[in-house]
Amino acid sequence: MNLYSGAMKRLTLMRHAKSSWDKPDVHDFDRTLNERGRKAAPLMGVYMKENRLIPDCILCSSAVRTRQTLELILPYFDGAAEVSFSDRLYLASPGEMLKQIKAVSDQYAHILIIAHNPGTHMLALNLIDPDHSNSAAIAILAENFPTAALAHFELEITRWREANSGRGALKTFTTPRSL
């Protein structure tokens, strides 16, 4: 049941899957997914499909590990989403991420952002409207935002520019380990 009665936008925040630290000479931007990450990302794609969390707009950091995460979940979306890569989402602050959300066309009803911590975790915590959120999900999210995890919000807004702190009803917080 929807706790909000008015217009609704949906936002899913996803941290990239687990990346490799095996090559210390590789620049952080160019790090690739490790084996655990390559297994976790498709698992999350299946979860998103089964739970009807298919976005129509995807904003993805242009870093290698976020692009690889997207490549592994995208087959579960049946090609329905508009994809945009952004250097501005690489290690972005919560403020920069919110700025990117506010710039999205209102024609889109569900945005997926694939980015990095600590920004993703901080933005998720900032968005929570505790009166309309799943309290168990809040408790788990408050502890950590592990790799490949996703936080799904409903926002009682009609325009993306209305997205702000405290406006999101956290519906689910899911990690690969919980599946």
Side-chain angles (χ1 to χ4, degrees):
M1 185 172 130
N2 186 359
L3 294 174
Y4 286 136
S5 58
M8 188 70 55
K9 296 284 188 187
R10 298 184 329 146
L11 173 67
T12 302
L13 303 177
M14 182 176 196
R15 184 176 174 197
H16 62 80
K18 186 75 174 163
S19 59
S20 176
W21 290 91
D22 291 346
K23 299 177 183 175
D25 57 326
V26 171
H27 185 269
D28 181 70
F29 185 88
D30 297 320
R31 285 191 297 116
T32 60
L33 297 183
N34 67 14
E35 183 179 343
R36 187 171 120 200
R38 287 188 301 274
K39 289 179 181 175
L43 186 65
M44 297 308 286
V46 169
Y47 170 83
M48 292 175 77
K49 182 174 184 165
E50 288 176 350
N51 289 277
R52 297 186 181 116
L53 299 179
I54 306 302
D56 52 2
C57 176
I58 300 172
L59 305 178
C60 183
S61 162
S62 52
V64 172
R65 61 192 178 272
T66 50
R67 285 175 170 267
Q68 289 179 329
T69 300
L70 176 60
E71 287 172 15
L72 293 169
I73 64 170
L74 206 52
Y76 300 96
F77 296 173
D78 301 324
E82 179 79 26
V83 178
S84 177
F85 296 98
S86 174
D87 289 341
R88 299 179 105 180
L89 288 175
Y90 173 63
L91 303 179
S93 69
E96 179 59 37
M97 293 173 79
L98 192 56
K99 184 177 175 183
Q100 297 292 313
I101 292 165
K102 289 178 179 224
V104 170
S105 170
D106 294 328
Q107 73 183 8
Y108 298 110
H110 183 182
I111 298 172
L112 167 64
I113 295 182
I114 304 174
H116 312 266
N117 266 359
T120 303
H121 190 200
M122 292 168 58
L123 177 60
L125 292 172
N126 290 342
L127 286 173
I128 293 172
D129 171 356
D131 293 333
H132 295 97
S133 294
N134 177 320
S135 57
I138 292 173
I140 297 166
L141 173 61
E143 291 180 27
N144 191 11
F145 203 120
T147 53
L150 62 89
H152 179 69
F153 292 90
E154 291 182 354
L155 293 88
E156 189 177 19
I157 59 174
T158 57
R159 294 184 282 291
W160 285 110
R161 68 175 183 239
E162 298 169 346
N164 277 308
S165 296
R167 297 289 305 264
L170 178 64
K171 296 302 185 179
T172 60
F173 181 68
T174 309
T175 66
R177 190 167 286 189
S178 70
L179 298 178

